Amino acid sequence: MNKLNIKRRIVLTGGPGGGKTTALDLFQRELQGKIASVPEAATMIFSGGIERSMLAEVTCAQQIAIFNLQRHLEDIQRKTNPDCLILCDRGCLDGLAYWPRSEEDFFKTMNTSLSYELSRYDAVIFFETAAKSGQEIKSNNPVRNESAEKAIVLDQKLQQIWSQHSNFNLVSSSESFIKKIMFGITTIDNVIDKI
C-alpha cells in the first residue's frame, strides 16, 4: 500500500523566517495531487483586515480566532482530500507561543489539552528561524513584522512546545538558505516514508 494513501497529518512550524512556507510550496509542487496543504491561519486573519494588537484581551481574541480557523481548515482539507497527506503550515499549538496568559489558561480557553493537540499530528517538522544564525528574516509575507530578536524568542517558545511531540524533527538554522530548504524537504520526505 502506498503510504501517501494512509490518512496522515504533518505540521510544518518554527520561528518567523524559518523557510517552512517556502519548503511547503516546493514540496507541494513535487507531490502534486498526493498532498493537500493547509495555509497559515494567522496570515489569513491578519491579511484580511485584522490588525495585530499589543493588548492582552485583543491578542487572546485573535488567537482564539486563529486556533479555530486552523482547526477548521485542517478538517476541511481532510474531508476534501481523504486520500492525501495533509501538510499544515503551522498547527493549532502555535497560538500558545503568542498567548499572553498562562499555558493552563490557553488550554482551558481552547477547551483542549497539550496531549490532544499533539495527537492530531503524526509528525512535526520544525524550521528554526534564520535569525538564530544571524541572518535576516526577510519575508514575502506582509503580515510578518517580527524583529530578529522577537523571532528568536518566538522560535524558542515554539520549539519548547512542539519538541514534546514524539515525532519531532528539527531543521536547524543554516548559513545557506538553499541547503536548509533542501534539508527540510529531505526531512519531510523521510518523515513521510516512516509514518
Side-chain angles (χ1 to χ4, degrees):
M1 181 186 210
N2 183 340
K3 290 188 179 198
L4 289 178
N5 289 330
I6 300 170
K7 297 177 183 178
R8 298 292 186 210
R9 186 177 306 175
I10 298 173
V11 61
L12 277 65
T13 189
K20 65 180 176 47
T21 304
T22 302
L24 179 60
D25 289 344
L26 292 171
F27 205 76
Q28 191 170 4
R29 290 178 196 171
E30 181 74 19
L31 289 176
Q32 193 170 18
K34 296 179 182 177
I35 66 168
S37 64
V38 176
E40 184 181 12
T43 295
M44 294 176 79
I45 286 179
F46 292 128
S47 64
I50 303 297
E51 292 184 24
R52 290 178 180 237
S53 175
M54 300 300 289
L55 299 173
E57 280 185 44
V58 176
T59 299
C60 287
Q62 291 171 340
Q63 290 306 318
I64 292 167
I66 291 166
F67 180 93
N68 288 316
L69 179 58
Q70 180 71 35
R71 171 76 54 83
H72 291 301
L73 289 171
E74 290 178 15
D75 292 344
I76 288 168
Q77 283 295 57
R78 171 50 59 222
K79 289 175 184 168
T80 305
N81 303 284
D83 295 325
C84 287
L85 173 75
I86 305 296
L87 288 179
C88 305
D89 189 343
R90 297 202 176 276
C92 291
L93 280 173
D94 279 54
L96 180 55
Y98 296 85
W99 194 252
R101 298 180 184 145
S102 69
E103 183 174 317
E104 180 181 293
D105 182 70
F106 175 85
F107 290 116
K108 182 178 178 185
T109 300
M110 303 306 182
N111 193 30
T112 192
S113 67
L114 176 66
S115 60
Y116 176 75
E117 293 306 321
L118 291 173
S119 75
R120 288 177 48 83
Y121 307 99
D122 296 285
V124 176
I125 301 175
F126 191 95
F127 284 79
E128 197 171 56
T129 180
K132 279 195 170 178
S133 59
Q135 299 175 61
E136 287 189 40
I137 54 168
K138 294 179 184 176
S139 173
N140 293 330
N141 185 341
V143 302
R144 283 269 163 241
N145 61 2
E146 292 89 357
S147 66
E149 295 78 17
K150 180 69 173 175
I152 291 169
V153 169
L154 287 169
D155 190 276
Q156 290 168 339
K157 287 181 179 180
L158 288 163
Q159 196 168 145
Q160 183 178 15
I161 294 162
W162 285 108
S163 64
Q164 297 174 74
H165 194 283
S166 60
N167 193 0
F168 176 80
N169 301 270
L170 178 65
V171 180
S172 296
S173 182
S174 170
E175 290 181 24
S176 167
F177 184 73
I178 292 172
K179 287 180 183 176
K180 179 181 181 182
I181 294 302
M182 293 311 298
F183 179 74
I185 290 171
T186 301
T187 302
I188 294 169
D189 203 27
N190 290 339
V191 167
I192 288 170
D193 286 342
K194 289 177 184 175
I195 60 173

